[in-house]
């Protein structure tokens, strides 16, 4: 992950605090030599699981597209060292909903790490209730919410199907990143979002907006959203899908157009914006990130979030308080990298 202070802040900090300068440069020295310098020689074990769901195909053409998306995510999991369960490709199974329920209920026993759920298929909406189409019984947002209720792990939930928006509000919550291929349940036509998201989340270089050699959930979302928009514009067609992302637990998705790079425009009502956590979470990690433990990565992510929060609140803080708090966070970050170096 990459964080930064703008040039004006650095110049002001240079004037006001020699100790701040020392802390900042010390941390930069650790980061400049790369996380490789503070990492263990071998990749650490990922505390993560993935469930990839392929819905009822309808036609062979759609089945092929859904399967390609699912296979891309599965292959990414293999590359990332993440255990992956695939649902919907086994021809001997007829009740996929029961299989999903069983797998999710088993997740309640785990309290750490990340659970990825990625869904490819068709969705429907009858004016009252949305559903994700499966072989056997379909599933509703309410059912998915109920099955996920006991899960205490962080969750990355991606529904790349049509009419998927209703799942955002149902599944949203603290510690959850939720992505939907559509902004409303009324968008019921085939959604192309999943075709692009599956390639991006596997580490597609073109999707790496911040150039940290890995693709976060937010970057995959933004890349896929742009590819979909470009398709409709090039084809001269009215767009029938508009993807959204929610990671601030308010159940309201944010469109890709709100973002400049990986930063979302501030909400006019002062509400917390989406994307903060999604920009930190990736499926396939860079070589440097893969050598950090989950614990170290979590501490680092929390400190980076504190830095961004301080920057946002700077106008409301006294000058000395801002520099003091920022320096404290920088020192803590430096200690994380320094401790890693000492363990080598």
């Amino acid at each position: 992950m990459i964080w930064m202070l703008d040039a004006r802040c650095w110049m002001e900090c240079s004037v006001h605090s020699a100790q701040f300068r020392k802390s900042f440069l010390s941390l930069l020295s650790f980061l400049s030599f790369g996380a490789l310098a503070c990492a263990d020689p071998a990749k650490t074990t990922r505390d993560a699981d993935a469930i990839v769901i392929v819905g009822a195909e309808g036609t062979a053409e759609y089945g092929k597209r859904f399967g390609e998306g699912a296979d891309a995510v599965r292959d990414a999991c293999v590359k990332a060292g993440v255990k992956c369960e695939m649902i919907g490709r086994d021809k001997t199974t007829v009740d996929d909903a029961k299989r999903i329920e069983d797998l999710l209920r088993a997740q309640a026993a785990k309290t750490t790490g990340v659970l990825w759920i990625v869904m490819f298929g068709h969705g429907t909406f009858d004016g009252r209730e949305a559903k994700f189409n499966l072989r056997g019984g379909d599933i509703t947002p309410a059912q998915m919410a109920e099955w996920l209720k006991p899960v205490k792990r962080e969750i990355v939930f991606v529904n790349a199907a049509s009419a998927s928006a209703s799942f955002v509000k149902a599944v949203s919550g603290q510690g959850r990143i939720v992505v939907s291929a559509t902004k409303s349940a009324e968008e019921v036509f085939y959604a192309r979002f999943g075709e692009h998201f599956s390639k991006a989340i596997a580490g597609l270089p073109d999707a790496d907006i911040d150039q940290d050699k890995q693709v976060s959930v937010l970057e995959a979302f933004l890349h896929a959203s742009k590819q979909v928009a470009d398709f409709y514009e090039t084809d001269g067609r009215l767009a029938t899908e508009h993807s959204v992302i929610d990671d601030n637990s308010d159940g309201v998705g944010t469109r890709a157009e709100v973002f400049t790079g990986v930063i979302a425009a501030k909400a006019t009502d002062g509400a917390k914006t989406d994307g903060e956590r999604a920009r930190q979470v990736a499926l396939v990690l860079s070589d440097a990130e893969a050598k950090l433990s989950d614990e170290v990565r979590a501490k680092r992510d929390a400190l980076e979030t504190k830095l961004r929060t301080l920057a946002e609140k700077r106008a409301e803080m006294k000058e000395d308080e801002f520099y003091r708090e920022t320096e404290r966070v920088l020192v803590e970050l430096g200690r994380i990298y320094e401790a890693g170096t000492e363990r080598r």
Side-chain angles (χ1 to χ4, degrees):
M1 296 293 175
I2 296 175
W3 61 268
M4 61 184 69
L5 296 177
D6 60 43
R8 184 176 62 181
C9 176
W10 162 242
M11 291 172 64
E12 292 175 354
C13 292
S14 297
V15 172
H16 287 278
S17 173
Q19 178 58 39
F20 188 101
R21 268 201 322 275
K22 181 179 178 181
S23 300
F24 184 81
L25 289 172
S26 176
L27 177 59
L28 277 184
S29 69
F30 287 117
L31 297 177
S32 297
F33 287 109
L36 287 172
C38 65
D40 294 330
K43 289 185 178 181
T44 58
T45 301
R46 296 283 298 278
D47 185 8
D49 296 280
I51 300 174
V52 180
I53 303 168
V54 181
E57 60 184 34
T59 68
E61 178 188 354
Y62 288 130
K64 182 175 182 294
R65 294 186 183 187
F66 299 154
E68 289 174 347
D71 289 343
V73 175
R74 179 202 59 201
D75 293 345
C77 289
V78 173
K79 182 179 179 181
V82 173
K83 181 181 177 183
C84 179
E85 294 278 358
M86 185 83 79
I87 297 175
R89 304 299 296 280
D90 180 1
K91 301 301 182 182
T92 64
T93 303
V94 294
D95 190 354
D96 290 331
K98 182 63 169 61
R99 177 65 176 149
I100 295 170
E101 180 181 6
D102 290 343
L103 285 175
L104 292 180
R105 292 196 182 282
Q107 286 291 322
K110 301 181 180 182
T111 58
T112 61
V114 183
L115 170 64
W116 292 73
I117 303 170
V118 187
M119 306 166 67
F120 298 92
H122 293 296
T124 57
F125 180 61
D126 62 5
R128 296 174 299 174
E129 185 176 58
K131 293 182 180 181
F132 178 80
N133 303 152
L134 291 167
R135 299 177 304 178
D138 298 334
I139 56 175
T140 66
Q143 285 176 302
M144 181 61 73
E146 182 65 25
W147 295 341
L148 288 176
K149 190 179 296 184
V151 180
K152 305 304 180 185
R153 313 176 80 186
E154 182 170 25
I155 296 174
V156 178
F157 182 92
V158 181
N159 188 338
S162 52
S164 52
S166 297
F167 284 81
V168 176
K169 184 175 182 179
V171 172
S172 176
Q174 192 67 36
R176 296 182 177 183
I177 301 169
V178 186
V179 176
S180 164
T182 71
K183 66 177 182 178
S184 71
E186 284 84 4
E187 295 186 324
V188 296
F189 296 103
Y190 172 72
R192 290 170 170 80
F193 177 83
E195 298 176 20
H196 303 289
F197 183 89
S198 59
K199 296 175 183 176
I201 202 64
L204 185 69
D206 287 349
D208 184 11
I209 298 172
D210 61 16
Q211 295 297 296
D212 65 350
K213 302 191 184 305
Q214 63 184 20
V215 177
S216 67
V217 179
L218 177 60
E219 288 172 319
F221 161 75
L222 294 172
H223 175 81
S225 300
K226 184 179 185 305
Q227 295 304 306
V228 169
D230 287 349
F231 167 81
Y232 284 103
E233 181 178 355
T234 301
D235 214 42
R237 298 166 58 180
L238 182 66
T240 56
E241 58 178 297
H242 303 83
S243 54
V244 297
I245 188 169
D246 168 59
D247 67 354
N248 65 3
S249 73
D250 66 356
V252 179
T254 297
R255 295 269 297 275
E257 294 87 342
V258 171
F259 291 83
T260 300
V262 293
I263 306 298
K266 290 185 178 180
T268 55
D269 59 359
K272 183 180 178 182
T273 57
D274 287 306
E276 180 68 34
R277 180 55 182 159
R279 67 191 286 192
Q280 295 179 318
V281 178
L283 179 58
V284 180
L285 302 179
S286 67
D287 288 342
E289 287 285 310
K291 293 174 182 177
L292 297 176
S293 69
D294 289 337
E295 181 181 8
V296 169
R297 196 180 303 111
K299 289 181 179 178
R300 188 274 317 281
D301 290 348
L303 289 170
E304 287 182 349
T305 298
K306 284 185 180 180
L307 274 182
R308 284 189 283 270
T309 300
L310 282 169
E312 292 172 359
K313 294 183 176 180
R314 184 178 182 183
E316 307 168 13
M317 301 174 67
K318 293 181 179 179
E319 189 175 88
D320 289 346
E321 180 186 12
F322 169 76
Y323 291 128
R324 183 173 59 253
E325 289 301 310
T326 302
E327 180 179 323
R328 183 181 63 79
V329 177
L330 286 171
V331 169
E332 288 186 49
L333 272 168
R335 285 172 179 163
I336 286 179
Y337 285 95
E338 184 175 19
T341 302
E342 292 174 350
R343 285 197 298 270
R344 292 193 71 199

